[in-house]
């Protein structure tokens, strides 16, 4: 991503300047954008080398995990975050849900001609801050520019690489009857924060996105339990908690029974969902995880989650059961039962 010093062009004007089609042409303008913005913001030894790829070390004996994600959210800035930090958090979390320790990230930008450089710099600096806070460098990347009217400002695709310790196996297919279902915190914050900003909804209390990097929370959970006690980890993003649980039952050939009263939701999110006709169980999250753990380790797992800043509201919400139909059933607050199906349609498009 880095480029040699460019002495032929004036420095970029980050107050009034805009993305030009030449910034994606691969010439001097492209090199200048990379040098003056991306390389400075993401600076690290691997990126500084200036090659088309990055070389980094993996711990001996570890396997590598790779995850990739695209980010097209609108609006690009929302209460609690923006597309920049979200693109870092989303991919780090995908790596962490495999039980891996994130090592490095790549970033690819699709920029629309006319995008203000000031806005782009703010988003890049947000990405850089998120990567620094997570302790995971952005080591390589790419930039392309499309003509005005053929994009929507900026799209960001990120890929993450992580190291999986020897013998560790975590995945959706490993959930088994009797396992406990844990949720790391309150659901629906991200989707409602984005929707309220998108539709200019003036709720009495501002709902903020929960976007966050979860690998520290995962590390704390895994350190507190015997190896093999955590069977499945998943972050309930698009489609929300209900869809994520259905994904796990399909992979594992099991069913689930959950308790509605045990699922933590901010009152503001509940009120917003009632107003908008949404179900918080299907609203996206960007800083929460579902953990499927051996039943005998459920209390220790819950204590480990609650001891971490990102898991203070963690709760045990149900159990994995033997069910050939793969149903996710919820005991409602009224004492009845409800089957939670997969999300149908997309009530909140471009949420991440």
């Amino acid at each position: 991503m880095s480029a040699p010093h460019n002495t032929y062009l004036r420095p970029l004007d980050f107050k009034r300047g805009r993305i030009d089609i030449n910034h994606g042409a691969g010439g001097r303008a492209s090199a200048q954008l990379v040098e003056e913005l991306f390389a400075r913001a993401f600076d690290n030894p691997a990126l500084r080398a200036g090659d088309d790829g990055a070389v980094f070390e993996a711990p001996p004996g570890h396997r590598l995990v790779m995850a990739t994600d695209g980010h097209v959210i609108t609006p690009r800035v929302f209460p609690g975050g923006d597309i920049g930090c979200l693109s870092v958090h989303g991919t780090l979390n995908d790596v962490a849900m495999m039980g891996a320790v994130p090592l490095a990230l790549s970033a690819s930008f699709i920029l629309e001609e006319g995008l203000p450089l000031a806005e782009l710099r703010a988003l890049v600096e947000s990405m850089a801050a998120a990567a620094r806070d997570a302790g995971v460098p952005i080591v390589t990347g790419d930039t392309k520019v499309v003509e005005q009217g053929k994009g929507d400002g900026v799209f960001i695709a990120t890929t993450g690489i992580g190291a999986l310790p020897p013998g560790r196996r975590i995945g959706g297919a490993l959930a088994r009857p009797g396992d406990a279902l844990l949720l790391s915190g309150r659901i629906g914050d991200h989707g409602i924060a984005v929707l309220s900003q998108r539709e200019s909804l003036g709720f009495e209390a501002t709902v903020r996105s929960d976007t966050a990097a979860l690998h520290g929370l995962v590390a704390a959970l895994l350190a507190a339990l015997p190896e093999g006690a955590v069977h499945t980890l998943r972050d309930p993003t698009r489609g929300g908690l209900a869809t994520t649980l259905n994904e796990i039952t399909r992979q594992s050939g099991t069913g689930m029974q959950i308790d509605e009263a045990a699922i933590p939701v901010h009152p503001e999110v509940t009120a917003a969902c009632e107003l908008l006709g949404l179900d918080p169980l299907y609203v996206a999250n960007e800083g929460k995880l579902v953990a499927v753990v051996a039943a005998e380790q459920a209390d220790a797992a819950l204590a480990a989650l609650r001891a971490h800043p990102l898991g203070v509201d963690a709760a045990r919400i149900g159990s994995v059961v033997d069910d050939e139909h793969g149903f996710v059933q919820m005991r409602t607050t009224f004492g009845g039962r409800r089957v939670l199906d997969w999300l149908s349609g997309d009530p909140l498009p471009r949420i991440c």
Side-chain angles (χ1 to χ4, degrees), residues 262-341:
I263 299 171
V265 189
H266 280 114
E268 298 84 357
V269 171
T270 299
C273 286
E274 290 177 352
L275 177 66
L276 298 169
L278 299 172
D279 186 336
L281 293 167
Y282 292 91
V283 176
N285 313 273
E286 289 292 344
K288 302 297 185 299
L289 64 80
V290 173
V292 180
V293 304
E296 64 272 17
Q297 296 295 330
D299 290 341
L302 196 57
L305 291 174
R306 289 175 173 171
H308 191 279
L310 294 178
V312 292
D313 293 320
R316 181 172 181 173
I317 63 169
S319 301
V320 180
V321 298
D322 190 1
D323 183 352
E324 63 182 34
H325 302 292
F327 288 154
V328 177
Q329 300 186 60
M330 182 173 72
R331 183 168 55 252
T332 70
T333 54
F334 298 105
R337 287 192 177 273
R338 171 187 169 196
V339 174
L340 299 180
D341 204 350

Side-chain angles (χ1 to χ4, degrees), residues 55-351:
V55 177
F56 54 93
E57 298 295 329
H62 286 55
R63 293 161 292 159
L64 293 180
V65 168
M66 181 170 67
T68 191
D69 207 352
H71 303 273
V72 299
I73 191 168
T74 181
R76 292 186 287 274
V77 180
F78 46 85
D82 55 50
I83 192 174
C85 67
L86 180 66
S87 67
V88 170
H89 296 157
T91 296
L92 289 180
N93 292 347
D94 286 345
V95 172
M97 294 307 110
M98 298 298 295
V101 178
L103 299 176
L105 291 164
S106 72
S108 177
F109 298 84
I110 306 298
L111 307 175
E112 183 183 17
E113 185 181 20
L115 177 70
L117 284 170
E119 181 181 357
L120 178 60
R121 181 168 67 171
L123 296 176
V124 169
E125 289 177 346
S126 177
M127 285 184 72
R132 285 194 301 270
D133 291 345
V136 183
I138 299 171
V139 299
T140 189
D142 186 48
T143 304
K144 296 291 189 298
V145 178
V146 298
E147 297 91 337
Q148 195 162 25
K150 295 188 176 180
D152 192 12
V154 55
F155 298 148
I156 305 174
T158 44
T159 296
I161 299 288
L164 190 66
R168 179 172 294 168
R169 293 181 64 236
I170 294 175
L174 301 179
R176 55 180 182 250
D179 285 348
L181 290 175
L182 307 182
L183 177 63
S184 68
R186 299 174 187 264
I187 62 170
D189 293 355
H190 176 72
I192 295 302
V194 173
L195 184 63
S196 64
Q197 185 74 13
R198 182 186 300 172
E199 304 298 337
S200 300
L201 301 176
F203 298 124
E204 185 173 335
T206 299
V207 178
R208 297 177 62 82
S209 170
D210 60 346
T211 181
L214 296 172
H215 59 297
L217 179 62
V218 170
L221 174 63
L222 293 173
L225 303 183
E227 190 67 51
V230 177
H231 299 158
T232 305
L233 293 169
R234 194 66 56 85
D235 54 336
T237 53
R238 285 180 300 170
L241 175 64
T243 298
T244 295
L245 297 182
N246 274 280
E247 290 173 350
I248 297 171
T249 60
R250 184 180 67 175
Q251 286 181 273
S252 60
T254 63
M256 292 183 182
Q257 292 183 356
I258 64 174
D259 186 350
E260 184 178 21
I263 299 171
V265 189
H266 280 114
E268 298 84 357
V269 171
T270 299
C273 286
E274 290 177 352
L275 177 66
L276 298 169
L278 299 172
D279 186 336
L281 293 167
Y282 292 91
V283 176
N285 313 273
E286 289 292 344
K288 302 297 185 299
L289 64 80
V290 173
V292 180
V293 304
E296 64 272 17
Q297 296 295 330
D299 290 341
L302 196 57
L305 291 174
R306 289 175 173 171
H308 191 279
L310 294 178
V312 292
D313 293 320
R316 181 172 181 173
I317 63 169
S319 301
V320 180
V321 298
D322 190 1
D323 183 352
E324 63 182 34
H325 302 292
F327 288 154
V328 177
Q329 300 186 60
M330 182 173 72
R331 183 168 55 252
T332 70
T333 54
F334 298 105
R337 287 192 177 273
R338 171 187 169 196
V339 174
L340 299 180
D341 204 350
W342 293 74
L343 176 67
S344 179
D346 192 356
L348 297 175
R350 294 186 59 182
I351 206 72

Side-chain angles (χ1 to χ4, degrees), residues 4-18:
H5 181 65
N6 194 323
T7 60
Y8 296 95
L9 298 174
R10 293 179 180 178
L12 292 173
D13 183 350
F14 285 107
K15 290 185 178 181
R16 295 176 295 274
R18 294 182 178 273

